[in-house]
Amino acid sequence: ETGVTQTPRHLVMGMTNKKSLKCEQHLGHNAMYWYKQSAKKPLELMFVYNFKEQTENNSVPSRFSPECPNSSHLFLHLHTLQPEDSALYLCASSQDGAGGLGEQYFGPGTRLTVT
Amino acid sequence: RKEVEQDPGPFNVPEGATVAFNCTYSNSASQSFFWYRQDCRKEPKLLMSVYSSGNEDGRFTAQLNRASQYISLLIRDSKLSDSATYLCVVNKPDDYKLSFGAGTTVTVRA
């Protein structure tokens, strides 16, 4: 099993709800990521935190709001989502030094359905 | 052009067969290459890194062709448990972000 946990594993929410996804890594890594995976599409990188600083925001709509309180925890706050946001949301972590390693460890994901 | 392109398959092979597939990447400066495996409704997991000289891990062999900008994965003596989607992954120098292919689906049948 990986050292990255995510909760909840499944979430159904209405378009007016507010919810949060949680990710925790127990690997001592210094970088954490949020990805979106839709059916038959490549993983889409949403946010990157390196040493707790957000270093990437791939034009993600503001209805998705990340939070990284420390190097082990990562949240994704959701509000006023659209049905097309239904997808598998994956958290990952890695230990990155100069040049980057590129080996990322994924959590089991949260399967989100927006109704 | 997509950063990473893969044949989606599916590749349907009998147990014991050999199956191979490629992945092309667009950025000639890419330095690190990986194959990840993703089982149905599960998270991706690192299968193997791909080294310049090619590398083998049991029944799995990965090759890198920088001139043509592709990597390959070969699975020998396929097992039912090899059924999965194989994701091609690359990153760039000094960049901890990964670019993922959409995956190649392999189904091994008894």
Side-chain angles (χ1 to χ4, degrees), chain A residues 94-113:
Chain A
S94 68
Q95 181 61 34
D96 291 303
L101 279 177
E103 295 179 29
Q104 295 185 4
Y105 296 80
F106 286 83
T110 295
R111 189 158 298 280
L112 173 67
T113 303

Side-chain angles (χ1 to χ4, degrees), chain A residues 78-89:
Chain A
L78 317 171
H79 65 98
T80 58
L81 295 191
Q82 304 298 310
E84 60 265 29
D85 296 323
S86 298
L88 180 68
Y89 289 84

Side-chain angles (χ1 to χ4, degrees), chain B residues 48-102:
Chain B
M48 59 196 300
S49 302
V50 185
Y51 303 123
S52 296
S53 56
N55 49 299
E56 198 172 295
D57 183 359
R59 297 179 294 108
F60 296 83
T61 301
Q63 296 281 349
L64 168 63
N65 185 317
R66 285 193 183 276
S68 300
Q69 293 183 212
Y70 74 85
I71 65 173
S72 64
L73 182 67
L74 182 146
I75 307 173
R76 285 187 304 278
D77 188 23
S78 299
K79 311 291 184 191
L80 295 176
S81 57
D82 294 333
S83 298
T85 296
Y86 292 85
L87 307 178
C88 173
V89 184
V90 307
N91 79 344
K92 294 167 284 184
D94 301 319
D95 190 339
Y96 38 77
K97 299 187 292 294
L98 300 180
S99 294
F100 285 80

Side-chain angles (χ1 to χ4, degrees), chain A residues 11-50:
Chain A
L11 177 62
V12 179
M13 60 187 288
M15 288 190 283
T16 58
N17 292 158
K18 288 185 180 181
K19 296 286 184 184
S20 294
L21 310 185
K22 179 182 176 182
C23 174
E24 184 173 359
Q25 60 97 358
H26 312 273
L27 301 168
H29 289 166
N30 58 13
M32 296 186 77
Y33 312 77
W34 279 117
Y35 288 90
K36 175 183 178 181
Q37 188 174 36
S38 303
K40 305 298 183 187
K41 290 186 178 180
L43 271 71
E44 299 171 46
L45 180 63
M46 300 175 72
F47 301 104
V48 180
Y49 278 83
N50 201 13

